[in-house]
Every structure is written in C-alpha cells, then in structure tokens.
Amino acid sequence: MLDTALLFVFPFAMAFAAATDLLTMKIPNLLSLGLGAAFLVVAPIAGLTWTEILSHAAAGSSMLVVGVVLFSLGWVGGGDAKLLAVASLWLGFEPLLGFLACVAVFGGALALALLAYRSVPAGAFPLPGWAARLHAKGEGMPYGIAIAAGALAIYPSTSWYAALAG
C-alpha cells in the first residue's frame, strides 16, 4: 500500500508545478526542494541502490547546470531550471534523452497554443487575471507545463515506476 502511495508523489508534484506555473508564472522553490528531499526518502524504499541514487543525483546535477545556462541566456525562468533538474533527478540518466525530447515537443505545442491564444482579440471574451497575463503578447511562457508534461509522459516507462508499481 505504501508503494502505491509513493508512486504518486512525483506525478502529483509535477502536476502541481504545471498548474502553479500556469496560474502564477512561478514555480515555488519549496516545491523543487521538497521533491528533491522526497526523492531521497522514496528512492531507498523503491529499492534503488546507493550507486543508482548517485547516478540519479548526477542526472539532476547535470540538468541543473544546463538549466542555469538556459536561465542565464534568458530562455527559461529560474523555476523552470530547477524543475528540469529535480525531474531529471527522479528520472535518472536512462530516460533522460526521451524526457528532453518530450519536453521539447510539449514546449513547441505550448508555444503554438500560446501564439494562437494571443492572436485572439483581448476583448473577445472576459479573462481572469492569470489568463489575461498569458494573453499579453510581451509575456513569457509557463515552460514548467512542458517540463511537467514531458516528465509525466516518460515516468510510466521508467524502472523507478516499475519498482513502485510492481
């Protein structure tokens, strides 16, 4: 029963990150830190060895470096960089390329959806504050949605998922 509950820690956190980014254009530091801490608790329960845990940590660390570079270039926000790193921590190296490919595809789809949304005249329909912000042409894109979608698409195919679901 505990394994089944632990199976949903990562997906719930990813969904929460996506929703938070959509509504506020921010991903709380506490979410990334909490998900990182949860990994350290859940990994041994799922049967990961110390070598596997260190490998996952290396995947997360390398993606943190990539995220910092992307942030410094102004391509992603700081929360996106941290979410990319903590998602990579959970997923590890094995599915990393597939994860990044999914993030790119979902990011492209999100960009096209936002362009279409922003092309509709603003006065055509009433908008809540978060939707009006997304509609503004100069605003950024909540890329945490693409990161979370990529992570959720890859998660069921990981050995991590198999260990907890099995």
Side-chain angles (χ1 to χ4, degrees):
M1 185 75 154
L2 177 63
D3 285 354
T4 303
L6 294 176
L7 185 64
F8 293 103
V9 170
F10 180 71
F12 177 78
M14 288 292 110
F16 184 77
T20 302
D21 202 18
L22 174 66
L23 297 174
T24 67
M25 289 290 282
K26 293 180 177 147
I27 300 168
N29 289 334
L30 193 56
L31 176 68
S32 296
L33 289 171
L35 197 52
F39 172 82
L40 295 175
V41 171
V42 175
I45 295 170
L48 271 69
T49 65
W50 282 108
T51 304
E52 291 169 321
I53 291 170
L54 290 175
S55 176
H56 280 251
S61 298
S62 23
M63 290 314 298
L64 182 60
V65 170
V66 169
V68 167
V69 169
L70 295 174
F71 173 74
S72 67
L73 293 171
W75 294 354
V76 298
D80 300 327
K82 291 176 272 192
L83 186 64
L84 183 67
V86 78
S88 300
L89 167 69
W90 274 77
L91 298 173
F93 276 119
E94 188 176 319
L96 193 57
L97 287 178
F99 165 57
L100 295 175
C102 285
V103 169
V105 168
F106 287 120
L110 178 63
L112 291 174
L114 269 178
L115 287 172
Y117 177 60
R118 290 174 179 170
S119 71
V120 176
F125 43 89
L127 298 174
W130 64 270
R133 180 190 36 73
L134 281 177
H135 193 272
K137 290 192 182 350
E139 286 296 317
M141 180 170 83
Y143 207 72
I145 295 170
I147 296 168
L152 292 174
I154 290 295
Y155 183 60
S157 67
T158 63
S159 57
W160 173 265
Y161 180 89
L164 287 172

